Amino acid sequence: MARTKDPDPEVRRRILDVSLDLFATKGFAATGVQEIVTKAGVTKGALYHYFKSKDEILFEIYGRVFGHELESLQRIVAEGHDPVRTLRTIIVDLVSHTAAITKESAVFARGGHADSPHWQAMQEQWRRYQEGFRQVIRDGQDAGVFSSKASPEVASWSVFGFTNSMHTWYRPEGRKSPADIGEELADLILTGLQS
Amino acid sequence: MARTKDPDPEVRRRILDVSLDLFATKGFAATGVQEIVTKAGVTKGALYHYFKSKDEILFEIYGRVFGHELESLQRIVAEGHDPVRTLRTIIVDLVSHTAAITKESAVFARGGHADSPHWQAMQEQWRRYQEGFRQVIRDGQDAGVFSSKASPEVASWSVFGFTNSMHTWYRPEGRKSPADIGEELADLILTGLQS
DNA sequence: ATAGGCATACCAACCGGTCGGCATTGACTT
DNA sequence: AAGTCAATGCCGACCGGTTGGTATGCCTAT
């Protein structure tokens, strides 16, 4: 192993940062490779040295979105609190996490690559998160603490829809912290679920 | 004025239908003009006879999204019922309308063309809809029928986030009708707003 | 010497869009 | 009724520019 230059200095990082910005604002397909390298101050040779394709950059961005969120949900559930407290914690956690990765969330929201295996794996993980979330609601209904009138599906989609749209309106410099916003949403939904 | 052939037979319609499908599934930028005309069974000449650009097709699709929804909201408000009934009617109406234009909604959700005047006009209309919606909540809070704890912003984004995500999960062949889903969402949100 | 980081030059394919032309048509003339 | 003409719907070859991706080799640190 002969080390020649910094193997992973910050070039790779800059390419990822710039790509994230462009994908989030213009969309993946509308962003050219030339545009990425120009803005990142590198050349195409560098980009294709670190990534084997433009798609691979996208997939690495995808990876950050639901990377740790599923295990975070499972950890909260494993703590074994009552459904109200469990669901509240999950919602605050989800809102906070989404606020921290607004750009990635925007890229994910635009979708695309419906046939690629990476995208499908992503969707599968997302689907499992939804399922875990809805199970908490069902547990609460079975325990009699949530009304059976509201369906877990509608309740969950109002939460996921909320977080999926955050990238269009949430600004870090705003008055409310992500945790505040999460608490407010939890108040609204939990009050709605307990009739 | 010499009339020669059907001025607007169905060719134009087919181009729009196919474009809507492709834009909704692959995205605007990722869809080629060639792809549209091939799938529509027409030629590029025909397409550029009816539309002056690929963008114009997109803008015509945009036009359907919030075309009548703003005046629908204003009409409901003008009926002057109590805030609870007003908000419920608005939510059911919004959910039903969104269910009827799932594809258009998907195209709109992907966004793009952030600088084009058409897109900005669209956003402006959408912004005014949001404002009208939130005003109903504020009126309810002033009247004391809604709790002042929940912010109109969070409440509205859970509804708009819900509708904006409908295109990812709503299927017309499903068990619940759009009106049913709308009522369920209205139950959840209205219960949450009244503490 | 050697091996890897990266620049440069380059490619075929495809992009959105154009343009000259042709076939079809109804209105008008005869 | 037949012929002429202009307008139109539409075709498809073609355009310059851009696309994602590659081949080659310089340069530098070991």
Side-chain angles (χ1 to χ4, degrees):
Chain A
M1 280 299 239
R3 303 182 83 264
T4 58
K5 267 191 178 179
D6 299 345
D8 246 10
E10 58 153 325
V11 179
R12 200 187 134 94
R13 168 69 65 117
R14 274 222 308 283
I15 293 173
L16 274 172
D17 283 348
V18 170
S19 299
L20 176 58
D21 257 324
L22 290 171
F23 292 170
T25 53
K26 307 186 35 171
F28 173 75
T31 303
V33 172
Q34 191 59 53
E35 201 177 350
I36 296 172
V37 297
T38 303
K39 269 209 159 191
V42 298
T43 60
K44 274 217 268 195
L47 190 148
Y48 280 96
H49 175 73
Y50 288 109
F51 304 93
K52 51 191 273 259
S53 72
K54 185 186 164 192
D55 286 7
E56 207 186 70
I57 301 179
L58 179 66
F59 298 143
E60 191 151 329
I61 291 174
Y62 280 164
R64 298 186 211 166
V65 181
F66 285 102
H68 305 99
E69 203 61 4
L70 183 58
E71 64 188 56
S72 175
L73 180 139
Q74 286 161 343
R75 180 175 40 77
I76 294 169
V77 169
E79 284 172 8
H81 296 294
D82 62 298
V84 173
R85 179 166 165 190
T86 301
L87 194 54
R88 170 177 295 275
T89 310
I90 291 174
I91 290 176
V92 173
D93 182 74
L94 179 58
V95 170
S96 300
H97 179 245
T98 306
I101 57 158
T102 343
K103 286 179 192 168
E104 287 87 348
S105 169
V107 176
F108 181 72
R110 286 178 193 266
H113 282 82
D115 44 357
S116 123
H118 281 90
W119 175 256
Q120 283 179 335
M122 203 68 219
Q123 292 277 95
E124 173 58 22
Q125 202 155 346
W126 170 224
R127 205 194 52 76
R128 277 200 281 164
Y129 186 90
Q130 297 171 216
E131 199 41 52
F133 187 96
R134 284 194 270 261
Q135 190 54 51
V136 174
I137 298 181
R138 276 188 222 105
D139 290 345
Q141 287 177 331
D142 293 345
V145 44
F146 291 154
S147 157
S148 314
K149 222 180 66 182
S151 67
E153 286 74 25
V154 167
S156 67
W157 279 118
S158 63
V159 172
F160 298 147
F162 184 91
T163 52
N164 286 346
S165 74
M166 278 183 70
H167 68 95
T168 65
W169 54 266
Y170 171 74
R171 297 292 172 262
E173 65 271 19
R175 280 170 286 104
K176 292 174 185 167
S177 75
D180 289 343
I181 297 173
E183 294 282 358
E184 257 189 52
L185 179 64
D187 283 342
L188 181 75
I189 301 296
L190 284 168
T191 307
L193 281 172
Q194 305 162 293
S195 52
Chain B
M1 282 299 237
R3 305 186 78 262
T4 57
K5 268 190 178 180
D6 300 346
D8 248 9
E10 60 151 322
V11 179
R12 202 186 132 96
R13 169 67 66 119
R14 274 224 306 284
I15 293 173
L16 275 172
D17 283 348
V18 170
S19 300
L20 176 59
D21 257 324
L22 290 171
F23 293 169
T25 52
K26 306 186 37 171
F28 174 75
T31 302
V33 171
Q34 191 58 54
E35 201 176 350
I36 296 172
V37 298
T38 304
K39 268 209 161 191
V42 298
T43 61
K44 269 216 263 196
L47 189 147
Y48 280 95
H49 175 74
Y50 288 109
F51 304 93
K52 51 192 269 262
S53 71
K54 185 187 164 192
D55 285 6
E56 208 185 71
I57 302 179
L58 179 65
F59 298 142
E60 191 150 331
I61 291 175
Y62 280 164
R64 298 186 210 167
V65 180
F66 285 102
H68 305 100
E69 202 62 4
L70 182 59
E71 64 188 56
S72 176
L73 179 139
Q74 287 161 344
R75 180 175 40 77
I76 294 168
V77 169
E79 285 172 9
H81 297 292
D82 62 297
V84 173
R85 179 167 165 190
T86 301
L87 195 53
R88 158 171 255 107
T89 310
I90 291 174
I91 291 177
V92 173
D93 181 73
L94 179 57
V95 170
S96 299
H97 179 246
T98 306
I101 56 158
T102 339
K103 285 179 191 169
E104 286 87 348
S105 170
V107 176
F108 180 73
R110 285 178 194 267
H113 282 83
D115 45 356
S116 126
H118 281 89
W119 175 257
Q120 283 178 335
M122 204 65 218
Q123 291 278 96
E124 172 59 21
Q125 202 155 348
W126 170 223
R127 206 194 54 75
R128 278 200 281 164
Y129 186 90
Q130 295 171 215
E131 198 43 51
F133 188 95
R134 285 195 270 262
Q135 191 55 50
V136 174
I137 298 181
R138 276 188 224 106
D139 289 346
Q141 287 177 332
D142 294 346
V145 45
F146 291 154
S147 158
S148 312
K149 221 180 64 180
S151 68
E153 286 74 23
V154 168
S156 67
W157 280 118
S158 64
V159 172
F160 298 147
F162 183 91
T163 51
N164 286 346
S165 74
M166 276 183 71
H167 68 93
T168 65
W169 53 266
Y170 171 74
R171 297 290 172 264
E173 65 271 19
R175 278 170 289 103
K176 292 174 185 168
S177 76
D180 289 343
I181 298 172
E183 294 282 359
E184 256 188 54
L185 179 65
D187 283 341
L188 181 74
I189 301 295
L190 285 168
T191 307
L193 281 172
Q194 304 162 296
S195 52

